[in-house]
Amino acid sequence: PPAPAVELLLDKDAFYDWALTQGLPVPETRRADPVELATALQGGGGPYILKPPCREDGWTAASPDVKAWVLRTTADLAAVPDAVWALPETPLVQDWIAGPDSAITFCLVAYGRDGRLLAWQTGRKLVQWPRGTGSTAVCETTQDPELLALTRTVFERVGLRGLGSLEVKRDSRSGELLLVEPTVGRLDLQSGRAELGGQ
């Protein structure tokens, strides 16, 4: 894909800012401040998810076993390693999207050099590990026109070429599909389902 598309889709902070300007459905996302988070959690706010803007070596070293932290209480916040807060890139905090892991769906796409959609496959997670914030362990293929349309809107506005996927979660309170994160320029753990689906 073009370098600007890769950079935008890899950087969660930039992607969420861009999605807002495009009127796309994203959960509330902001830079994390531990003092403000503690105050919010003490006041009954949350749950939240704490994640890196980009999952690079620094985050992996600071949080080797946890790729994203779910914050429901001040005890959860206290469990986040000090090394996470010391990273040059301030972590992001995002409102938790209500619903089980099985509410997470995805759309895999392949675009040609001319920007034409060559193949696609939608699917749904059944189990991820660790639960709540992990990688796909079991999933199934689906036929989801709404998700395909949202995926095409995102990637065609960005100018994606090659491989990509979009992960979304349906909020169990509002029923709305909310963007979780894109993947760009590589296969991911659901790609085998697309092959099995004939794509």
Side-chain angles (χ1 to χ4, degrees):
V6 174
E7 291 165 6
L8 175 63
L9 295 170
L10 283 178
D11 186 323
K12 293 180 177 67
D13 196 18
F15 176 74
Y16 287 112
D17 285 347
W18 174 83
L20 285 173
T21 68
Q22 299 294 309
L24 296 169
V26 289
E28 176 70 30
T29 303
R30 55 209 173 276
R31 290 287 178 170
D33 178 297
V35 175
E36 289 178 3
L37 277 172
T39 301
L41 289 165
Q42 289 166 352
Y48 306 110
I49 185 165
L50 186 75
K51 57 175 73 172
C54 293
R55 193 159 185 246
E56 298 176 327
D57 291 344
W59 178 274
T60 302
S63 182
D65 300 320
V66 180
K67 72 177 190 177
W69 293 82
V70 179
L71 308 176
R72 294 185 173 88
T73 66
T74 52
D76 294 333
L77 180 61
V80 177
D82 290 342
V84 166
W85 302 112
L87 290 170
E89 287 288 318
T90 305
L92 300 178
V93 64
Q94 189 175 79
D95 288 355
W96 178 257
I97 304 170
D101 288 352
S102 58
I104 300 170
T105 58
F106 55 86
C107 184
L108 311 164
V109 294
Y111 280 91
R113 292 180 188 274
D114 60 358
R116 186 169 58 91
L117 181 63
L118 302 175
W120 61 274
Q121 179 67 64
T122 57
R124 181 171 70 97
K125 289 189 181 187
L126 299 176
V127 178
Q128 62 179 352
W129 189 258
R131 292 187 183 277
T133 61
S135 299
T136 305
V138 181
C139 63
E140 64 180 358
T141 54
T142 63
Q143 294 295 317
D144 189 333
E146 181 186 10
L147 176 54
L148 174 61
L150 178 59
T151 302
R152 293 191 70 168
T153 296
V154 171
F155 287 141
E156 290 170 17
R157 288 183 187 176
V158 169
L160 181 69
R161 303 292 184 269
L163 300 173
S165 69
L166 187 69
E167 188 170 284
V168 305
K169 187 173 182 181
R170 191 173 294 279
D171 190 306
S172 63
R173 297 163 301 188
S174 67
E176 184 180 20
L177 281 179
L178 296 172
L179 304 181
V180 175
E181 63 183 9
T183 297
V184 60
R186 64 174 174 85
L187 299 174
D188 58 25
L189 293 175
Q190 301 113 350
S191 298
R193 294 303 312 174
E195 287 189 80
L196 292 171
Q199 298 298 318

